Amino acid sequence: METIEEKLSKLVSDTLASLNDINSDLDRELEDLRVSVMGKKGSLTEILKGMKDLSAEMRPVVGKHVNEARDVLTQAFDQAAKDMEADRIAKQLAAESIDVTLPGRPVKRGQAHILTQTSQEIEDIFLGMGYQIVDGFEVESDHYNFERMNLPKDHPARDMQDTFYITEEVLLRTHTSPVQARTMEKHDFSQGPLKMISPGRVYRRDTDDATHSHQFHQIEGLVVGQGISMADLKGTLELILQKMFGKDRKIRLRPSYFPFTEPSVEVDVSCFKCGGQGCNVCKQTGWIEILGAGMVHPQVLEMSGIDSSQYSGFAFGLGQERIAMLRYGINDIRGFYLGDQRFSEQFK
Ligand code: FA5
């Protein structure tokens, strides 16, 4: 008959062998084996039942073997559990591993809208000349949009700038010129002349067609100081238009009329396509009309609290869409507002 020691030694070697064969993915298998060996009704308990038949001298000797066997088994089960866990983590890492040598997925780059790009480019040029950039209100009062621009209620020139009214006195501004009045009345001339530009959206009751929209963008420019003359206006516009359309461009001032400037001019730039010879872009004239400008009307200065016998100024207002259309050969203004990617992506 087998002795207890023999049974123990067989149990240990059988269990170690079973632990070796165990499927490391199945926690359950390990636990079942542990219970079948070490549990209350397990093989080890079964062997221990034989202890009661031993003599008093033999009991401590065999008891030592029993303890040793229990320690070996406990350690083996702990180690197996640890190995299984490590194995599982290793498998998981292998499955999820990131190959850092793979080339990155290309990110599709967008770009600012062409009108934003145009306005930023113009802002940069003026910032370089010491101008400040001022934000105006799109919802404006009749007072600033018209009255302060020398366009009283019964003035016929108001007909050309009908707009969307919120109330009788509050409207969507028809041009960026009200920013002139708002800036002039706040400026402290002891700190030097006022030099500002103000880009923004404007609204008119115009019928939409290829070159007109009921909402579009302007950039207002204003310089007020002592001794500011028409020559300053011409020099400034020449510089900005050469930067926008090329070094060889010339500009031409034609008499015009705005109630808020005197004298007033329309400004043409020599055609960038034909250089002045005449072509389809300039309608065979050699010139392209680009903006309205003039010397600030003394009445407009006075209404903003500026002494017109001491100070003078020039102002201009250009249509941003107009500039972008001419520069990039865009033939329909509506393209700017459709949000069509095929249009926008051309101006990266
Ligand atoms: C004005 O709005 C004046 N406030 C400009 C000005 C400022 C003159 C300071 C003198 C001193 P005008 O109405 O011409 O002027 O408009 C200026 C520019 O806005 C035009 O040259 C044109 O490029 C653009 N524009 C006018 N109406 C429309 C429209 N419906 N759609 C698109 N662009 C327009």
Side-chain angles (χ1 to χ4, degrees):
M1 211 177 105
E2 266 185 320
T3 65
I4 291 185
E5 279 103 324
E6 283 164 351
K7 284 184 188 165
L8 281 173
S9 137
K10 186 163 184 306
L11 177 66
V12 169
S13 58
D14 284 356
T15 307
L16 293 182
S18 307
L19 276 175
N20 250 347
D21 293 344
I22 218 157
N23 181 344
S24 63
D25 287 335
L26 298 176
D27 286 350
R28 193 69 243 158
E29 243 180 58
L30 178 66
E31 183 56 12
D32 287 349
L33 181 62
R34 199 186 63 76
V35 171
S36 76
V37 176
M38 316 276 287
K40 268 191 197 147
K41 293 178 183 159
S43 334
L44 186 61
T45 319
E46 201 54 41
I47 296 171
L48 294 184
K49 281 183 186 161
M51 292 279 283
K52 65 180 187 319
D53 303 327
L54 293 175
S55 63
E57 306 86 71
M58 279 307 286
R59 249 183 232 165
V61 182
V62 176
K64 195 165 164 264
H65 283 293
V66 169
N67 286 339
E68 279 167 7
R70 189 187 279 123
D71 286 351
V72 170
L73 288 172
T74 308
Q75 261 184 32
F77 277 107
D78 286 353
Q79 191 58 46
K82 276 188 201 152
D83 290 350
M84 272 175 79
E85 181 65 10
D87 198 43
R88 194 171 31 241
I89 290 172
K91 276 189 186 150
Q92 200 176 342
L93 282 178
E96 286 175 5
S97 74
I98 297 163
D99 182 353
V100 291
T101 63
L102 274 179
R105 290 198 191 100
V107 176
K108 201 161 179 247
R109 279 190 69 177
Q111 75 288 319
H113 191 278
I114 186 58
L115 286 176
T116 310
Q117 290 182 36
T118 308
S119 141
Q120 282 171 349
E121 211 175 311
I122 297 174
E123 284 170 32
D124 280 351
I125 299 170
F126 279 102
L127 277 174
M129 296 194 287
Y131 283 60
Q132 53 170 317
I133 297 170
V134 179
D135 259 341
F137 299 119
E138 286 177 35
V139 180
E140 190 46 283
S141 64
D142 183 280
H143 175 75
Y144 280 103
N145 193 78
F146 290 128
E147 304 270 338
R148 292 285 292 276
M149 290 289 110
N150 225 8
L151 279 147
K153 287 229 157 42
D154 53 358
H155 200 290
R158 277 200 181 203
D159 290 351
M160 291 187 296
Q161 295 193 13
D162 195 8
T163 183
F164 304 88
Y165 282 83
I166 314 282
T167 69
E168 217 168 297
E169 289 303 318
V170 180
L171 45 85
L172 297 186
R173 67 176 177 187
T174 57
H175 51 176
T176 41
S177 298
V179 189
Q180 286 189 33
R182 288 192 177 273
T183 320
M184 275 191 279
E185 67 187 12
K186 277 192 284 196
H187 188 72
D188 176 2
F189 283 92
S190 68
Q191 303 297 309
L194 163 60
K195 291 162 80 178
M196 72 89 176
I197 60 162
S198 182
R201 203 168 283 148
V202 302
Y203 304 81
R204 284 188 199 177
R205 194 189 170 281
D206 275 349
T207 308
D208 292 358
D209 61 22
T211 53
H212 292 85
S213 167
H214 60 281
Q215 66 109 78
F216 56 102
H217 299 75
Q218 289 189 337
I219 297 185
E220 194 77 11
L222 173 70
V223 173
V224 181
Q226 282 174 326
I228 302 293
S229 74
M230 202 78 179
D232 297 313
L233 170 64
K234 191 172 180 205
T236 306
L237 291 177
E238 205 156 45
L239 195 115
I240 171 97
L241 293 175
Q242 279 178 354
K243 290 221 179 193
M244 298 300 291
F245 293 105
K247 271 247 162 292
D248 303 329
R249 301 281 69 79
K250 292 189 182 58
I251 68 163
R252 174 174 87 168
L253 307 187
R254 276 184 295 112
S256 183
Y257 172 76
F258 296 104
F260 33 92
T261 45
E262 182 57 37
S264 302
V265 289
E266 295 281 353
V267 180
D268 299 338
V269 61
S270 60
C271 180
F272 55 87
K273 191 176 174 201
C274 65
Q277 307 303 307
C279 70
N280 60 337
V281 171
C282 59
K283 301 194 186 98
Q284 310 303 330
T285 64
W287 297 94
I288 296 166
E289 183 193 316
I290 215 94
L291 56 91
M295 299 305 291
V296 181
H297 197 292
Q299 187 67 25
V300 172
L301 292 174
E302 295 288 344
M303 278 191 280
S304 294
I306 297 169
D307 181 352
S308 63
S309 66
Q310 289 227 21
Y311 292 92
S312 56
F314 68 74
F316 58 87
L318 52 86
Q320 280 185 47
E321 282 82 350
R322 190 77 203 259
I323 300 262
M325 286 171 84
L326 289 171
R327 276 181 97 187
Y328 300 105
I330 298 164
N331 54 18
D332 195 325
I333 196 169
R334 287 164 288 206
F336 291 116
Y337 318 119
L338 293 178
D340 186 333
Q341 288 287 311
R342 289 168 303 177
F343 175 84
S344 311
E345 278 171 356
Q346 298 174 65
F347 307 108
K348 274 201 178 155

